[in-house]
Amino acid sequence: MNTAQMDLAIRPVDQADDGALWSMLAPVFRAGETYAIDPEICRERALDWWRGGTHDAFVAQQRGAVLGSYYICPNQQGGGAHVCNCGFVTAPDAHGRGVARAMLHHALEEARKRGFRAMQFNFVVSTNTRAVALWQAHGFEVVGRLPGAFRHPTEGYVDALVMYRTLQPGCDTLAQPEEE
């Protein structure tokens, strides 16, 4: 674990985090490169979406500064509610410091605590190579490819990936990372 992760605290988001959360979401949503969200989404709708519905959101904080956030929720209802879904965002000045990795570790633990049997990312933009590499390094496999499903603002129509990982110990249907 690197230095950034050692003193990183991850806790549930609260309204006092709205400014920091929006400062992370706004540039990501405005860029339109990784989330299938209207780039013109207003602050209130973006915050409601990130924290609302079935999403339970968390923030990663270091020395009082919010460096990242993620949400976790059931991927589907009914017969699909045993698989969770997550979304991640990192502050621009925190890229490359292990924040996303620490949040992923937390999300995997949180998912297990909540009784989820697997985690699925439904729509990973293929040009988001840092995220794809991180997810794959932690046992996620590409189980589906949606050709040209995402309209990237500079790359045009690119593929979206469905990535999946089981959370059950000893299950050999998908590769598991050696350590977390």
Side-chain angles (χ1 to χ4, degrees), residues 4-65:
Q5 292 172 312
M6 284 195 231
D7 61 345
L8 194 67
I10 300 178
R11 60 168 174 76
V13 70
D14 62 42
Q15 284 195 316
D17 299 315
D18 282 1
L21 188 53
W22 177 241
S23 73
M24 291 183 290
L25 293 174
V28 170
F29 290 169
R30 298 285 182 258
E33 296 175 344
T34 56
Y35 277 90
I37 297 287
D38 178 0
E40 299 304 316
I41 192 170
C42 70
R43 180 181 194 265
E44 293 74 26
R45 284 190 53 220
L47 293 172
D48 286 347
W49 180 80
W50 193 261
R51 299 184 309 230
T54 60
H55 293 183
D56 286 330
F58 294 83
V59 292
Q61 188 173 348
Q62 185 180 53
R63 292 185 214 92

Side-chain angles (χ1 to χ4, degrees), residues 47-106:
L47 293 172
D48 286 347
W49 180 80
W50 193 261
R51 299 184 309 230
T54 60
H55 293 183
D56 286 330
F58 294 83
V59 292
Q61 188 173 348
Q62 185 180 53
R63 292 185 214 92
V66 175
L67 302 180
S69 181
Y70 83 90
Y71 67 78
I72 187 170
C73 63
N75 192 49
Q76 300 293 327
Q77 298 178 15
H82 61 283
V83 177
C84 69
N85 175 258
C86 295
F88 296 82
V89 66
T90 304
D93 61 347
H95 290 179
R97 293 174 43 193
V99 175
R101 183 176 310 277
M103 290 190 300
L104 176 58
H105 285 246
H106 189 273

Side-chain angles (χ1 to χ4, degrees), residues 4 9 17 22 41-42 51 66 81-82 101 107 109 111-112 125 128 131 136 139 158 163 167 171:
D17 299 315
W22 177 241
I41 192 170
C42 70
R51 299 184 309 230
V66 175
H82 61 283
R101 183 176 310 277
E109 287 179 27
R112 286 184 187 101
V125 178
N128 190 355
Q136 288 178 323
V158 298
M163 299 185 76
L167 300 175
C171 182

